[in-house]
Amino acid sequence: MLGSHTVPQPIPYQGSKRKIAGLILQHFPQTMPRLVEPFAGSAAVSLAVAAHGNSQRFWINDAHLALIRLWREIIERPECLGDEYADIWKSQLGQERAYFDIVRDRFNREQSPGDFLYLLARCVKAAIRYNSRGEFNNSPDNRRRGAHPGEMRQRIKRTSALLRGKVLLTSLDYKSVLLQCNSDDIVYMDPPYQGVNGQRDHRYLPPFDHSEFCNELQALNNRHVMFALSYDGRTGDKTFGQLLPDMLGLTRLEVPAGRSTQATLLGRAEMTYESLYLSPALTSTLQGGTSPLQLFYNHEWK
């Protein structure tokens, strides 16, 4: 299996599945006509699938239009984006804090993908946050300058090589995407987690309703669409969000996602686990296979 370090990750992104994408892929078929990500974000799972050569067709969707514009630049104009990022990065030297604000103000006016990439590379926790006026308002992490231009250029070029000519890019509501999926697709979903949905300064998304989402999952089941879903989890004994209803017939696994940073700061060595749900159509396709993650299947919450 390819390690996470062999898969390019051009977009710094809070909540990215980069570190656990390989574990998630253990529950996908070896070959897939098309992989669909309705909540793509940094598209870590699509990149891992492309790097493994398990599919030649991808649909990357995110309701955040600025993010999809950035994806288009990465895939279709990697050299131009690399040059733009390098110019911005070099211009900050010696005035890093003040220059971040200059770029942030310019992005809020012009929505340039190059500016957006720089902001994500520099901002606190690589988190996309907007104020009530729709302005990007996260602050810089003053401990770092963002990825060096040479490193970022390589990430962009490698990503473009993996996905160019193979991907559909859209910025639609997730329900519109799911409606167009069929039984030949593998759908991977990483929606807003229940613990963060609705907080102030969240990234731009249409309202996300848990009950409505469950109805959409049932509609996928009715059409025998294969899907996997990352949704909430636990740290130590503390759980986040409610489990998806039994009526959906989903197989729930726990994916070890590493030690909790917050717990470590408090002097506790606690592991974080993310719930990974597999649809009946997907588990039926995979029947007979084995996986290390089956050790976590139907783990009882404490």
Side-chain angles (χ1 to χ4, degrees), residues 25 54 58 91 126 133 182 184 198:
L25 260 60
N54 299 132
F58 301 87
S91 296
R133 297 187 299 275
N182 58 54
D184 288 331

Side-chain angles (χ1 to χ4, degrees), residues 163-203:
L163 294 177
R164 192 166 189 175
K166 303 175 184 178
V167 62
L168 171 66
L169 295 169
T170 58
S171 182
L172 303 171
D173 180 80
Y174 81 93
K175 296 186 292 294
S176 298
V177 175
L178 297 183
L179 189 61
Q180 299 177 59
C181 293
N182 58 54
S183 58
D184 288 331
D185 293 320
I186 299 290
V187 182
Y188 172 70
M189 289 174 276
D190 185 20
Y193 284 10
Q194 297 171 71
V196 299
N197 189 35
Q199 290 184 357
R200 191 176 70 87
D201 285 347
H202 57 75
R203 65 180 185 142

Side-chain angles (χ1 to χ4, degrees), residues 70 73-74 77-86 113-114 117 156:
L70 175 55
E73 291 297 304
I74 290 170
R77 289 173 285 275
E79 290 293 344
C80 291
L81 181 61
D83 289 344
E84 186 175 354
Y85 177 83
L117 181 58
I156 292 170

Side-chain angles (χ1 to χ4, degrees), residues 74-104:
I74 290 170
I75 295 170
E76 298 180 2
R77 289 173 285 275
E79 290 293 344
C80 291
L81 181 61
D83 289 344
E84 186 175 354
Y85 177 83
D87 289 343
I88 298 169
W89 191 92
K90 292 173 184 176
S91 296
Q92 75 174 335
L93 299 179
Q95 53 172 343
E96 287 84 355
R97 179 61 186 88
Y99 197 73
F100 181 92
D101 290 344
I102 292 172
V103 175
R104 186 175 61 186

Side-chain angles (χ1 to χ4, degrees), residues 18-90:
R18 175 180 62 86
K19 293 183 178 179
I20 62 173
L23 295 176
I24 293 171
L25 260 60
Q26 292 183 24
H27 301 282
F28 288 3
Q30 287 298 306
T31 58
M32 296 168 258
R34 183 173 68 168
L35 176 67
V36 181
E37 284 205 66
F39 308 91
S42 66
V45 171
S46 288
L47 286 171
V49 168
H52 282 74
N54 299 132
S55 183
Q56 297 298 310
R57 294 178 60 214
F58 301 87
W59 185 354
I60 292 176
N61 178 82
D62 199 282
H64 185 197
L65 181 57
L67 189 61
I68 292 302
R69 287 172 174 164
L70 175 55
W71 268 115
R72 194 171 304 281
E73 291 297 304
I74 290 170
I75 295 170
E76 298 180 2
R77 289 173 285 275
E79 290 293 344
C80 291
L81 181 61
D83 289 344
E84 186 175 354
Y85 177 83
D87 289 343
I88 298 169
W89 191 92
K90 292 173 184 176

